[in-house]
Amino acid sequence: MKKKIIIETAKLTADKLILETNESINGLIPGEQILVDSDNSAFVYLMEDQDDYTYIVLSEFLWSDLKTANEQKLPVVVKSNQEQVELINFYDELDYILSNIRGNSNYGDELVTKVERLFINV
């Protein structure tokens, strides 16, 4: 099973969105890809290390901060203690996922509705 890192809090500053976790991100490299966890209403950013992928879980409570940061195209970073890694290609991937979710019942009606209401204003 892939390792999952849950983002606990988000801090939107004037120049970036900081996603904070208590778990180590040491040695993780941005995978530059976002997946969707429809069952848990979450976006998942892929990170890599030498052995496998790690999932950075972006739960629904973070989505309004993601939307604001996306509108301003602020860098997105994951922070754990003193470690910090920028999530490369984040907005291209997020925009791609959002365009795929719109009106696509394959993601489940509940997720589609949530995403459309917040990100697409349907």
Side-chain angles (χ1 to χ4, degrees):
M1 183 171 164
K2 308 287 187 228
K3 180 179 178 185
K4 290 184 180 182
I5 293 178
I6 307 296
I7 299 302
E8 313 276 331
T9 59
K11 292 184 182 176
L12 197 54
T13 68
D15 62 342
K16 64 184 152 188
L17 175 61
I18 303 168
L19 304 173
E20 297 180 318
T21 181
N22 292 323
E23 299 180 51
S24 175
I25 57 171
N26 187 32
L28 294 180
I29 300 166
E32 300 186 37
Q33 186 176 4
I34 295 178
L35 307 174
V36 178
D37 179 351
S38 298
D39 293 336
N40 296 305
S41 295
F43 298 121
V44 178
Y45 186 90
L46 291 183
M47 300 283 279
E48 303 173 11
D49 63 18
Q50 292 183 358
D51 300 320
D52 210 349
Y53 287 104
T54 296
Y55 298 151
I56 306 296
V57 179
L58 308 169
S59 300
E60 186 180 353
F61 77 91
L62 302 167
W63 291 3
S64 62
D65 289 325
L66 291 178
K67 179 183 180 188
T68 301
N70 189 13
E71 290 168 347
Q72 298 176 29
K73 298 302 182 211
L74 298 174
V76 179
V77 298
V78 173
K79 182 179 179 186
S80 174
N81 299 321
Q82 300 304 314
E83 302 167 305
Q84 186 169 293
V85 177
E86 183 173 350
L87 302 183
I88 307 298
N89 202 31
F90 188 86
Y91 295 117
D92 288 341
E93 281 293 306
L94 181 62
D95 291 340
Y96 175 75
I97 287 294
L98 294 175
S99 69
N100 278 329
I101 291 174
R102 183 177 189 170
N104 187 342
S105 62
N106 289 332
Y107 289 97
D109 292 336
E110 183 179 348
L111 180 77
V112 171
T113 299
K114 289 176 182 180
V115 168
E116 287 179 345
R117 280 189 187 143
L118 180 64
F119 289 99
I120 305 168
N121 299 318
V122 170

